[in-house]
């Protein structure tokens, strides 16, 4: 049982490049979300999804896009990376939006 | 802005002592959750307390919730060096269901 899997674990991008952070869960959870974690800031919600085909914005959505074509996958896209997007990104899933969340191991992204 | 504010930001204690962390929040919640994060790792769920509950236990963990004061506390009893980690409270909004995290408390337990 893999739980929540994030790839890649580490990534270095140049300013202006694009990339997709992958997140997959095998628990058949409806609710999935993306957070970024910066020193002294805790975790901030970027985007979330309450089910396939449904996404919504969190606290800090600018510069990020998401889609949810299947229950299992919830990729996060950076269309034009900026140094301000240097952070550790966590994907999480839960059975419902009010139950405990299961987190991936994170993707450490550096934008130079 | 983030929903939860945690206090203290950092805590250092000796093994065997109790550790108490506090969390305050601003809006109506469905539940409040506590998570633990070891350095460089993902978050692990510890305990969930619903808005109609006042206290909950899980092993050496005790969580209280005071909805009138919009605050919660996490008590770790008889701490161990292995409890060294960051601890986060997260509030689940009554209106949106979104899980919003506080800034966390870094706990160091010295052997």
């Amino acid at each position: 049982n893999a739980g929540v899997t994030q790839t890649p674990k580490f990534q270095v991008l140049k300013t202006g490049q694009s990339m997709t952070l992958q997140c997959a869960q095998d628990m058949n959870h409806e609710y999935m979300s993306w957070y970024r974690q910066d020193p002294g800031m805790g975790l901030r919600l970027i985007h979330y999804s309450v089910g396939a085909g449904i996404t919504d914005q969190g606290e800090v959505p600018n510069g990020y896009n998401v889609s949810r074509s299947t229950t299992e996958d919830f990729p996060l896209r950076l269309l034009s990376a900026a140094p301000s997007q240097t952070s550790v990104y966590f994907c999480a899933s839960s059975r419902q939006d009010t139950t405990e969340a299961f987190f991936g191991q994170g993707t450490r992204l550096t934008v130079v | 802005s983030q929903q939860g504010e945690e206090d203290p930001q950092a805590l250092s204690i000796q093994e065997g002592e109790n550790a108490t962390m506090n969390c305050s929040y601003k809006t109506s919640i469905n539940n409040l959750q506590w998570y633990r994060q070891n350095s460089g790792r993902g978050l692990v769920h510890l305990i969930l307390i619903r808005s109609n509950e006042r206290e909950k236990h899980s092993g050496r963990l005790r969580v209280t919730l005071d909805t009138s004061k919009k605050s919660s506390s996490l008590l770790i009893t008889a701490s161990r060096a292995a409890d060294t980690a960051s601890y986060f409270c997260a509030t689940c909004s009554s209106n949106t269901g979104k899980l919003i995290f506080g800034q966390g408390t870094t706990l160091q337990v010295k052997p």
Side-chain angles (χ1 to χ4, degrees):
Chain A
N1 190 344
V4 179
T5 302
Q6 290 183 237
T7 56
K9 287 186 170 55
F10 301 93
Q11 183 70 50
V12 178
L13 286 179
K14 293 183 179 178
T15 298
Q17 285 185 318
S18 63
M19 81 159 294
T20 300
L21 280 63
Q22 302 290 345
C23 176
Q25 53 92 9
D26 62 359
M27 296 172 282
N28 202 31
H29 285 168
E30 289 295 322
Y31 192 87
M32 296 186 74
S33 52
W34 276 102
Y35 293 86
R36 60 178 287 174
Q37 184 176 30
D38 301 295
M41 297 293 292
L43 279 80
R44 291 182 291 172
L45 182 64
I46 305 171
H47 284 287
Y48 66 101
S49 168
V50 299
I54 305 170
T55 64
D56 205 347
Q57 296 181 348
E59 302 170 277
V60 289
N62 292 341
Y64 307 95
N65 283 345
V66 292
S67 60
R68 184 94 180 272
S69 57
T70 67
T71 298
E72 293 78 19
D73 300 299
F74 191 43
L76 178 71
R77 297 185 191 85
L78 284 71
L79 297 179
S80 179
S84 61
Q85 293 178 305
T86 293
S87 188
V88 181
Y89 292 84
F90 287 99
C91 177
S93 74
S94 57
R95 186 169 50 85
Q96 297 173 357
D97 56 4
T98 58
T99 57
E100 65 175 283
F102 293 80
F103 281 80
Q105 291 301 298
T107 295
R108 187 173 295 274
L109 175 68
T110 302
V111 183
V112 297
Chain B
S1 63
Q2 288 174 294
Q3 168 77 304
E5 297 292 334
E6 297 185 61
D7 172 61
Q9 288 189 327
L11 182 60
S12 182
I13 59 174
Q14 294 294 133
E15 208 166 27
E17 294 180 338
N18 295 342
T20 300
M21 291 159 255
N22 302 296
C23 171
S24 61
Y25 59 93
K26 298 175 183 175
T27 61
S28 176
I29 62 171
N30 178 289
N31 64 65
L32 186 144
Q33 304 176 27
W34 285 89
Y35 289 79
R36 165 191 169 131
Q37 184 182 34
N38 287 87
S39 180
R41 307 297 298 274
L43 279 76
V44 175
H45 181 264
L46 295 176
I47 196 165
L48 181 154
I49 186 165
R50 292 183 173 81
S51 59
N52 61 354
E53 297 176 311
R54 292 297 167 259
E55 187 171 312
K56 204 162 184 179
H57 295 82
S58 177
R60 292 183 296 112
L61 305 180
R62 173 178 170 256
V63 170
T64 61
L65 178 65
D66 187 335
T67 53
S68 66
K69 295 181 179 178
K70 290 186 166 57
S71 66
S72 173
S73 67
L74 170 67
L75 169 67
I76 304 174
T77 60
S79 63
R80 306 166 182 168
D83 293 329
T84 294
S86 292
Y87 292 82
F88 294 89
C89 72
T91 52
C92 183
S93 168
S94 295
N95 297 327
T96 66
K98 290 189 287 189
L99 199 59
I100 304 297
F101 284 80
Q103 296 180 352
T105 294
T106 300
L107 173 66
Q108 181 185 29
V109 182
K110 299 175 183 176

